[in-house]
Amino acid sequence: MPVTGDLATLIEPLKALANPVRFQVLQWLRDPEEHFPVDPTVTDPRAVGVCVSHIQAKTGLAQSTVSAYMAVLERAGLVRSTRVGKWTHYRRDEERIALLVEELKREVGEARTGDLLSP
């Protein structure tokens, strides 16, 4: 069954998050000061974002791989990029993430206590 336009806005971010590294990076970007070296004289990690080189160093992956991963997250609307000189910085798009969570609740529904399986 083809994905309709309405579901595409939900499916694309979920596909982006299906990769464990991309999911982890999005988690790290929630608290950038905790996970990345921060120099407030250079940029504000909350307003401008974290330099892709710091993300690359933390993941241990090739720069090209990290850039591709970040591009997927950006196309999915989960992060925004900002150029600072020759460097690209990424920050979470909190508004879009909140909308995604609300959309998931609408489309899938919230779990009810009785729906959860007991261990």
Side-chain angles (χ1 to χ4, degrees):
M1 172 183 350
V3 175
T4 65
D6 291 343
L7 284 181
T9 61
L10 184 61
I11 299 298
E12 289 307 312
L14 293 176
K15 286 180 2 185
L17 293 173
N19 176 288
V21 175
R22 290 192 297 253
F23 188 85
Q24 180 70 70
V25 169
L26 196 65
Q27 288 180 311
W28 289 335
L29 290 175
R30 183 177 39 207
D31 295 306
E33 300 89 349
E34 181 180 330
H35 297 286
F36 299 99
V38 174
D39 183 353
T41 62
V42 177
T43 61
D44 176 355
R46 299 244 178 223
V48 178
V50 174
C51 182
V52 71
S53 64
H54 294 310
I55 298 170
Q56 185 267 323
K58 184 147 178 100
T59 62
L61 298 172
Q63 184 273 331
S64 59
T65 301
V66 172
S67 290
Y69 282 180
M70 298 311 294
V72 169
L73 289 171
E74 188 168 27
R75 280 192 304 275
L78 299 171
V79 300
R80 293 181 179 212
S81 65
T82 304
R83 293 287 293 186
V84 178
K86 65 179 183 172
W87 305 106
T88 303
H89 290 68
Y90 291 95
R91 70 186 185 288
R92 289 166 46 113
D93 186 335
E94 297 297 347
E95 185 177 319
R96 175 64 183 110
I97 292 169
L99 289 172
L100 174 64
V101 169
E102 289 305 312
E103 194 172 352
L104 273 170
K105 287 179 184 177
R106 252 191 330 275
E107 296 297 331
V108 177
E110 292 185 61
R112 295 179 300 246
T113 305
D115 292 344
L116 301 176
L117 297 176
S118 300

